[in-house]
């Protein structure tokens, strides 16, 4: 039986319930009012799904959703590659010239204000636009570069923390048996850090999809992301279509998170089984298990 007093247990459940209500009750209210028949988002006038139809007929919002999803997928994929390489370089390779400067540069976006980052990126693109025609007009490319810049830092933190937990003796044993470094990375290191890579991709995708400040600096008239479109429409008055859009986003993100959690749990179980099997083989090959060898 538990030694926790009943009164303390009730207080814990009460605090947990209040915290969950504080976090998720506004989202639940938003979802309920997305089915409101009234144009006023604060007045309930009956159940209706007409705002979902109106949402899909809104060309501006649909274009913003498509652009944000495209930039989010491309930014997260590029950030995962760069962040994983950075974590491996700083965590596995020996010291090299400029290591501290590189570590500072990869971590700086984590603590730098978004306004400063957005302004600095804007000035950089203006300067590059005077030399290269590619950056003469700000649009999808400039937003993608800006998002990759700060998303890489978050992926680096997630992957590096996981990489420190990987048992290096397994990698060293594989290299002692003749496996080249690239094969050790692909067959041993990469599966071990795969849950962190998935988590880093989801985090980077969420940050890219949610970014408003930096995108407002580096975007142009031809590229309006979803946060910018929603912010612009909210300033003119909250539309029920925004509630419908938010409900769809919450549903898609929830399903994607559950799938990612399932994949990561499976990968973690396989990793733990491989580690236990390697430890058993190492114990069986120890000298005390083979006294005849001595």
């Amino acid at each position: 039986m538990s030694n926790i007093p009943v009164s303390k247990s009730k207080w814990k459940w009460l605090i947990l319930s209040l915290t969950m209500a504080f976090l998720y009750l506004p989202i639940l209210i938003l979802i309920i009012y997305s089915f409101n028949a009234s144009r006023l988002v604060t007045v309930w006038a009956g159940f209706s799904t007409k705002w979902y139809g109106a949402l899909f007929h809104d060309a501006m919002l649909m274009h913003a959703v498509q652009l944000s999803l495209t930039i989010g997928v491309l930014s997260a994929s590029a950030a995962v590659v760069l962040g994983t390489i950075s974590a491996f370089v700083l965590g596995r390779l020996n010291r090299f010239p400029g290591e501290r400067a590189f570590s500072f540069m990869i971590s700086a976006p984590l603590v730098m204000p978004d306004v400063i980052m957005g302004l600095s990126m804007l000035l950089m693109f203006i300067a590059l636009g005077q030399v290269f025609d590619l950056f003469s007009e700000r649009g999808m490319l400039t937003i993608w570069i800006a998002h990759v810049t700060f998303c890489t830092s978050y992926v680096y933190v997630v992957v590096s923390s996981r990489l420190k937990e990987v048992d290096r003796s397994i990698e060293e044993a594989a290299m002692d048996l003749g496996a080249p470094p690239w094969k050790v990375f692909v067959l041993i290191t990469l599966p071990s850090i795969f849950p962190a890579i998935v988590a880093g991709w989801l985090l980077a995708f969420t940050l890219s999809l949610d970014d408003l400040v930096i995108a407002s600096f580096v975007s142009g008239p031809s590229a309006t992301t979803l946060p910018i479109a929603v912010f612009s429409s909210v300033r003119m008055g909250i539309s029920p279509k925004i509630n419908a859009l938010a409900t769809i986003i919450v549903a898609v993100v929830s399903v994607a998170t559950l799938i990612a959690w399932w994949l990561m749990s499976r990968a973690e179980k396989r990793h733990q089984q491989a580690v236990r099997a390697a430890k058993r083989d190492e114990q069986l090959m120890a000298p005390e298990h083979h006294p005849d060898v001595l």
Side-chain angles (χ1 to χ4, degrees):
M1 295 182 64
S2 176
N3 296 325
I4 301 177
V6 178
S7 58
K8 291 186 178 181
S9 178
K10 289 182 177 180
W11 275 108
K12 289 182 178 180
W13 281 108
L14 178 61
I15 295 174
L16 178 62
S17 302
L18 292 175
T19 303
M20 298 295 287
F22 176 78
L23 293 175
Y24 294 105
L25 189 59
I27 300 177
L28 179 61
I29 294 175
L30 181 144
I31 294 174
I32 293 174
Y33 272 88
S34 69
F35 298 99
N36 186 13
S38 174
R39 187 173 183 82
L40 301 175
V41 295
T42 57
V43 178
W44 180 261
F47 181 85
S48 176
T49 58
K50 64 179 182 179
W51 299 115
Y52 287 88
L55 170 65
F56 289 107
H57 287 87
D58 192 326
M60 185 191 72
L61 276 179
M62 288 296 98
H63 176 71
V65 170
Q66 181 181 3
L67 180 64
S68 291
L69 291 177
T70 303
I71 294 176
V73 171
L74 295 178
S75 300
S77 301
V80 159
V81 175
L82 296 177
T84 303
I85 293 175
S86 301
F88 188 80
V89 168
L90 292 175
R92 284 291 187 267
L93 301 183
N94 296 326
R95 293 190 174 274
F96 56 91
E99 178 187 5
R100 291 187 177 181
F102 179 73
S103 178
F104 171 78
M105 292 174 61
I106 200 69
S107 304
L110 295 173
V111 295
M112 190 176 299
D114 291 344
V115 175
I116 302 300
M117 279 200 63
L119 182 59
S120 61
M121 298 292 287
L122 173 62
L123 297 177
M124 182 190 72
F125 290 133
I126 292 176
L128 290 176
Q130 298 175 356
V131 181
F132 303 101
D133 293 335
L134 187 63
F135 299 100
S136 58
E137 293 185 2
R138 295 184 299 277
M140 178 178 174
L141 178 62
T142 55
I143 299 174
W144 173 72
I145 294 175
H147 284 187
V148 171
T149 301
F150 71 87
C151 288
T152 300
S153 302
Y154 290 91
V155 176
Y156 161 75
V157 171
V158 175
V159 175
S160 62
S161 61
R162 175 67 177 181
L163 192 62
K164 293 178 181 178
E165 299 177 358
V166 176
D167 190 0
R168 298 193 64 175
S169 62
I170 301 177
E171 298 174 345
E172 295 171 355
M175 287 188 288
D176 290 340
L177 294 175
W182 67 267
K183 196 170 186 178
V184 173
F185 177 78
V186 173
L187 297 180
I188 297 178
T189 308
L190 195 60
S192 301
I193 63 176
F194 178 74
I197 293 176
V198 175
W201 191 94
L202 289 174
L203 179 60
F205 176 77
T206 303
L207 291 171
S208 175
L209 191 65
D210 184 60
D211 176 61
L212 172 64
V213 178
I214 296 177
S216 63
F217 278 94
V218 299
S219 63
S222 61
T224 302
T225 61
L226 180 60
I228 295 177
V230 172
F231 181 72
S232 301
S233 63
V234 168
R235 293 177 63 184
M236 302 299 295
I238 301 176
S239 173
K241 291 185 293 186
I242 303 301
N243 291 345
L245 177 61
T247 301
I248 295 175
I249 293 176
V250 169
V252 172
V253 170
S254 300
V255 173
T257 303
L258 289 175
I259 295 175
W261 172 81
W262 179 69
L263 292 175
M264 288 189 293
S265 63
R266 289 188 59 187
E268 181 66 21
K269 288 180 181 179
R270 289 196 296 266
H271 172 68
Q272 294 296 336
Q273 291 174 358
V275 171
R276 287 195 292 267
K279 289 183 177 180
R280 285 197 301 266
D281 294 341
E282 185 179 354
Q283 292 176 356
L284 290 176
M285 296 180 64
E288 58 266 18
H289 291 277
H290 302 278
D292 296 338
V293 177
L294 299 176

